[in-house]
């Protein structure tokens, strides 16, 4: 199969499939998240506040997924952020809940950030650090999250369970952008919900 025919096959597969997300995984050292305060913000901020990274002494591994729109206003996002109060070591297994770690997840329509979608903090499970180096970090995540609607919409959100491996390359603080979670003045929900 030629490179051109492989590319055409991939484009057709993505067109047929609804799961052609743009995905980025990254790990970053010397950051902070206000793990308590981020859960006590205005309703429109709830899907984003716990993914916002500032300078600090903690460590984060994150997954960002974005599905571009196929029709008007149907683009969407998912954000997963695992925050450690200090850099973990290989073989570290942390039970959830844990004062030294938090797991945050949110999803929703990118065209209506803060109005629809779901968010939540893991209340049970565990995180295992399977590999860590100067180049990156890999974790196994097994967590249950009770999702809530930021505006209290009934029936929009439910409990989800993650059982996944997240492998991420290290980046520097200067490589963070608003989509990744760098704190922007006045908070920019539009750019926090899309790359």
């Amino acid at each position: 199969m030629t490179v051109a025919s492989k590319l055409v096959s991939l484009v057709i597969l993505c067109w047929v499939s609804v799961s052609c997300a743009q995905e980025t995984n990254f790990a970053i050292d010397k950051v902070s998240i206000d793990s308590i305060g981020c859960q006590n913000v205005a309703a429109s901020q709830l899907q984003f506040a716990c993914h916002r990274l500032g300078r600090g002494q903690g460590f984060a591994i994150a997954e960002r997924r974005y599905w571009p729109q196929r029709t008007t206003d149907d683009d969407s996002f998912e954000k997963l952020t695992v925050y450690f109060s200090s850099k973990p070591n290989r073989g570290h297994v942390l039970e959830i809940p844990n004062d030294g770690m938090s797991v945050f997840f949110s999803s929703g329509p990118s065209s209506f950030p803060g109005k629809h979608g779901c968010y939540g903090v893991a209340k049970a499970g565990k995180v295992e650090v399977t590999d860590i180096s100067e180049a990156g970090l890999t974790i196994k995540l097994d967590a249950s999250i009770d999702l809530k609607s930021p505006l209290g919409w009934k029936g929009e959100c439910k409990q989800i369970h993650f059982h996944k491996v997240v492998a991420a390359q290290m980046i520097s603080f200067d490589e963070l952008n608003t989509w990744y979670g760098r704190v922007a003045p006045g908070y920019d929900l539009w750019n926090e919900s899309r790359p």
Side-chain angles (χ1 to χ4, degrees):
M1 197 177 236
T2 67
V3 172
S5 60
K6 286 181 182 177
L7 182 60
V8 169
S9 297
L10 180 61
V11 169
I12 290 170
L13 182 62
C14 284
W15 184 72
V16 171
S17 172
V18 295
S19 64
C20 272
Q22 298 172 16
E23 183 174 318
T24 303
N25 297 339
F26 64 90
I28 185 166
D29 198 7
K30 303 296 183 200
V31 292
S32 66
I33 291 176
D34 180 0
S35 298
I36 303 301
C38 71
Q39 299 175 60
N40 299 306
V41 295
S44 63
Q45 305 286 319
L46 286 168
Q47 289 172 282
F48 305 98
C50 290
H51 301 291
R52 292 177 181 148
L53 301 167
R55 292 190 186 273
Q57 296 303 310
F59 188 93
I61 181 169
E63 180 179 80
R64 304 291 186 252
R65 300 176 80 196
Y66 173 73
W67 289 266
Q69 67 180 24
R70 295 175 310 280
T71 59
T72 305
D73 295 338
D74 71 344
D75 54 340
S76 60
F77 73 91
E78 283 184 359
K79 290 188 169 194
L80 171 68
T81 302
V82 180
Y83 176 72
F84 301 90
S85 59
S86 61
K87 189 173 184 177
N89 297 311
R90 177 186 294 180
H92 231 126
V93 178
L94 299 166
E95 298 290 329
I96 302 169
N98 190 305
D99 290 339
M101 182 207 47
S102 300
V103 178
F104 307 106
F105 176 79
S106 61
S107 64
S110 298
S111 295
F112 305 97
K115 305 227 187 265
H116 284 285
C118 304
Y119 75 97
V121 178
K123 300 294 187 189
K126 68 179 180 179
V127 174
E128 179 182 356
V129 179
T130 59
D131 190 32
I132 189 166
S133 68
E134 289 184 21
L137 176 87
T138 302
I139 62 169
K140 283 184 185 175
L141 174 63
D142 188 0
S144 296
I145 302 175
D146 288 323
L147 295 177
K148 302 178 217 169
S149 163
L151 297 181
W153 298 106
K154 299 289 184 202
E156 187 169 14
C157 304
K158 59 185 179 182
Q159 184 181 66
I160 61 169
H161 187 85
F162 279 111
H163 185 74
K164 67 190 304 183
V165 173
V166 180
Q169 290 187 324
M170 292 294 298
I171 65 170
S172 69
F173 191 85
D174 291 337
E175 293 176 86
L176 283 177
N177 59 28
T178 309
W179 163 241
Y180 287 173
R182 186 170 185 154
V183 178
Y187 304 122
D188 183 351
L189 298 185
W190 185 260
N191 286 317
E192 286 186 77
S193 65
R194 61 179 40 78

